[in-house]
Amino acid sequence: MLETPYVFVDTQVFVASGFDYDSGRLAHAKQLAVDGRIRLLTTDITSREIISNIQEAVTIATGIVQKLRQKGRVLATSKDPSFDAVFSAYEETRIAAHLADRLREFESDSGTTTLAIGATSASEVFNKYFGRRPPFSGKKKSEFPDAFVLQTIEDWCSQGDRKAYVISGDSDTAAACEASERLILLDSLEKLFEIIATEDEELGDLARQLVESCLSGVKRSAGEKFESLGFYLEDQEGDVSGVDVREIEGDDLHIVEIDGDTIYFVWEATVTFSADVVYDDMNTAIYDSEDKVAYAWQEIDTELDRSFEISIEGEVRFSRWPPHDPSILRVGFAGVTDVGITVEEWDSYK
């Protein structure tokens, strides 16, 4: 059962969601707030931190777009309207400001309560800092914003004899919540959604069983969709010519909503795949001093085995009466359209 309606969402959740308020987890959280199922909390520090992350993300994205423009000029000359948005002029500051406004709209539309940092919170934060208590794992200045945020929420809860969920995957935040009697840690919004969706325990158990019975079909559909994503090399000049999914495995299945005859779920999975890649062999490169560019005379054509962690979203239709007859309505991915691959092997890609 839901222990409290009050929910604080950490900055990292906004970043991982791509600041997308129209679909996915943030949209669902807003709808729950609008419906009165939960009451969202934030702090002035958190809002400023999210905006800072937005500005950083826009700067990185601008660099990627500029690189594409330089290397893909031929697309602009094609006059195909599909590429107009890529080559049209835009201002980085204007885009960042627009995304910051979207955050404010999200907070307003969802009725988010903004808590201000107070003097009492500051005093207690410094006590924890010098006493090396959570969330301080060491004397790192970078831990101060999180400490102020958590203390502010805890103080607010204490004043009204309340509790609050804290949605965060940060280990120091987890330690602070464990030491608190009022802060309840959940490491993802999906876990909160599951608590709400399965408050009817019998219906929740049935929904999980029905979705699990459909996972072979979910894997098949997700594999096909994954292979149709865009793929690119991150650390070499080259191309990914094809991808073949070998296996999809996952452990964390969350029932995020049961609406009438439809079950909405999120499955945290790992996709193991092979990728056919071709890239410049820089061992054969010759430096052109006039153009100040190194030209490779040969290419490397090989196959790479890689894995990628992904959130698979889906919908299953069912009958509430036996034999239930579950069927898959939709399978998709949360906020993933392109996958970067490095030639240097890593354990997984996120």
Side-chain angles (χ1 to χ4, degrees), residues 113-132:
T113 299
T114 300
L115 309 178
I117 306 301
T120 304
S121 298
S123 176
E124 183 58 26
V125 165
F126 278 102
N127 288 338
K128 290 180 178 179
Y129 173 68
F130 289 112
R132 298 191 180 186

Side-chain angles (χ1 to χ4, degrees), residues 60-88:
I60 293 173
T62 299
I64 294 172
V65 171
Q66 289 174 343
K67 184 177 180 181
L68 172 61
R69 289 176 171 178
Q70 293 170 357
K71 294 183 177 294
R73 292 192 185 97
V74 65
L75 299 178
T77 61
S78 71
K79 304 302 182 183
D80 187 327
S82 303
F83 301 109
D84 287 349
V86 176
F87 294 96
S88 61

Side-chain angles (χ1 to χ4, degrees), residues 9-285:
V9 182
D10 195 15
T11 299
Q12 64 176 194
V13 179
F14 286 83
V15 175
S17 301
F19 313 105
D20 182 3
Y21 311 110
D22 297 325
S23 62
R25 55 176 72 93
L26 292 179
H28 189 49
K30 182 175 76 172
Q31 190 58 54
L32 287 172
V34 170
D35 293 343
R37 303 293 301 277
I38 63 174
R39 297 183 63 179
L40 292 174
L41 304 175
T42 191
T43 70
D44 43 8
I45 286 180
T46 306
S47 295
R48 291 168 63 184
E49 189 175 37
I50 294 171
I51 291 173
S52 175
N53 276 270
I54 287 172
Q55 293 169 337
E56 181 181 355
V58 170
T59 298
I60 293 173
T62 299
I64 294 172
V65 171
Q66 289 174 343
K67 184 177 180 181
L68 172 61
R69 289 176 171 178
Q70 293 170 357
K71 294 183 177 294
R73 292 192 185 97
V74 65
L75 299 178
T77 61
S78 71
K79 304 302 182 183
D80 187 327
S82 303
F83 301 109
D84 287 349
V86 176
F87 294 96
S88 61
Y90 71 91
E91 297 177 13
E92 181 178 324
T93 54
R94 182 173 61 84
I95 296 297
H98 171 69
L99 290 172
D101 288 341
R102 296 281 327 272
L103 170 64
R104 297 185 186 99
E105 288 175 8
F106 170 83
E107 292 176 344
S108 175
D109 293 345
S110 62
T112 299
T113 299
T114 300
L115 309 178
I117 306 301
T120 304
S121 298
S123 176
E124 183 58 26
V125 165
F126 278 102
N127 288 338
K128 290 180 178 179
Y129 173 68
F130 289 112
R132 298 191 180 186
R133 290 182 282 140
F136 295 103
S137 56
K139 289 193 174 182
K140 298 186 297 183
K141 293 181 180 178
S142 60
E143 294 169 332
F144 266 95
D146 288 342
F148 275 106
V149 166
L150 293 172
Q151 190 61 50
T152 296
I153 298 169
E154 185 159 15
D155 288 349
W156 179 82
C157 287
S158 297
Q159 291 164 11
D161 193 22
R162 295 169 285 227
K163 292 185 177 181
Y165 286 106
V166 174
I167 314 298
S168 175
D170 180 71
S171 59
D172 290 330
T173 297
C177 291
E178 186 177 350
S180 170
E181 295 181 356
R182 299 190 177 276
L183 304 183
I184 308 166
L185 181 79
L186 294 176
D187 61 16
S188 70
L189 271 173
E190 284 77 12
K191 289 189 176 179
L192 175 72
F193 300 156
E194 186 164 27
I195 292 172
I196 296 171
T198 59
E199 285 184 311
D200 181 335
E201 188 173 350
E202 185 175 347
L203 180 59
D205 289 343
L206 173 62
R208 176 174 290 276
Q209 292 170 14
L210 295 179
V211 173
E212 288 176 345
S213 73
C214 294
L215 284 184
S216 60
V218 171
K219 287 183 181 182
R220 183 166 54 252
S221 180
E224 294 171 355
K225 288 183 178 294
F226 186 85
E227 291 175 352
S228 67
L229 294 174
F231 293 86
Y232 62 94
L233 291 179
E234 292 185 327
D235 60 344
Q236 298 289 339
E237 292 292 336
D239 298 294
V240 181
S241 58
V243 165
D244 183 27
V245 172
R246 305 295 191 192
E247 186 178 34
I248 299 179
E249 294 294 335
D251 295 319
D252 294 331
L253 174 65
H254 304 290
I255 307 301
V256 298
E257 186 177 2
I258 305 172
D259 184 10
D261 62 354
T262 304
I263 305 166
Y264 298 85
F265 69 89
V266 173
W267 190 34
E268 304 296 343
T270 300
V271 180
T272 302
F273 64 97
S274 62
D276 296 320
V277 302
V278 179
Y279 58 94
D280 292 341
D281 184 355
M282 299 310 295
N283 290 325
T284 68

